[in-house]
Amino acid sequence: MAQKKSYSRYFIILQEDEKGYALASDKLPTGYVKLELKNEKCKVSYYVQNLKKQATPYHMILILGKKDTNKIVRIGELNIDNYGRADVSYEYSPSNLADTGMNMENISGAAIVKFVDKDFTSVLSGFLTTDIPKWRDYEIIESKTRKEEIKAKKQSAEVVKKEKHTIKNEQKEKNVFDKYEDSIEEVKESIVKNERENSTLEEDKNRIYIEDKEETINHDQMEYNDVSESIDKDNLTEDDVEINVQDDIEFNLDNDYRKSNKCSKCNKYPKGSVGEFFKNISDGFEELDGDITEIKRCRWYKVNVSDIRDMYCINNYNKYTVVYYPMINYYPYIKSYGHYLIGFKCDKKGNMKYLVYAIPGSKCKSHQPFGGKSGFVTWVSNEKCDKNKNDGYWLMFYDFRTSTIVIPVK
């Protein structure tokens, strides 16, 4: 029997840190970083959109804050296209990220930054947990490959500088020679000779510059890997969801059951102290009954959003971190509907199992948040809407105990 392959996938949702880098005033920069472990290989993918193209480049970094690692790993430059997007990925050994000797297990966050000398400005950042460390003080480490590139560029710059210095000295010597030349013909020959030598030196200097520039361009092209990927939940195998799904999320597939199913016992769950915590968070939200009946034992609440400022709930930290913070980057998908849903999915005993986030939209791919790349891979219909309009919700299941997005098997 073939041995089962280990596979895990984590998403870090990037959120705007610094104003002034948006492609347009009505388009917030958003993105995510995907970490995949498969067959002893770690794949790190960056995706951003609505980011303004700058003269000085953006850089991708990984933040290692677990087990007192306290390091920042520079991955490389991020090339933004004319539409404000970038999609790039790298593959490393899990125990040797970017040839730095750092381990994938210690990753706590990621960011897009702009470096100025040794200082940097964080443009977008995100973390696997709600406890954000003081990562801006961490030590910055370079990959071996990047160190070699920096060294090569410095050496090339020194060669150009020496060439310029040599040209300048030779020109001074030639000017002195021309001044004291007695013969007009010899002066002419000297001028011709000087022009010829200067032309050769200039060609050498330009050749060195061009070769250095071509080397940089080739390196950037080598780093930029244009990846277009989406999660197809119909083709997911058991190996693909080995870690992300502990057991199947239960769906109500019987139409008669859907029609007769009422949430008469909803007030009894979620149970226990964990259940009370989430019940307190839902205080003030409208509870829905019968809008989504395909998910068993799930209490649904409607979160109204008329403006993105509604999502910065500063008077209730727990409500902000659970309800609003994870959905800020999805505001472009939410704003036309003015709301989204949050659900408390329970097991058969009534204990909290998953948080479920639901964004309204039709089943067409253009309404699916980030094309499903950030976990919104399940679509369910809205039982109270006109079925001819194909109204419904895109769902993302979140295991709050392990900080992991769960891909359901339907």
Side-chain angles (χ1 to χ4, degrees), residues 263 266-267 285-289 299-302:
C263 196
C266 279
N267 58 347
F285 296 132
E286 177 189 355
E287 184 171 3
L288 303 181
D289 183 11
R299 293 185 75 169
W300 292 102
Y301 295 89
K302 185 177 183 180

Side-chain angles (χ1 to χ4, degrees), residues 149-166:
E149 290 169 3
I150 295 172
K151 184 179 179 181
K153 288 181 180 181
K154 286 182 179 179
Q155 289 176 345
S156 180
E158 289 175 359
V159 170
V160 174
K161 186 177 180 180
K162 287 180 180 178
E163 291 288 350
K164 289 181 178 180
H165 183 70
T166 302

Side-chain angles (χ1 to χ4, degrees), residues 284-288 300-304 337-342 393:
F285 296 132
E286 177 189 355
E287 184 171 3
L288 303 181
W300 292 102
Y301 295 89
K302 185 177 183 180
V303 182
N304 292 315
Y337 293 90
H339 78 281
Y340 62 94
L341 308 183
I342 185 168
Y393 293 91

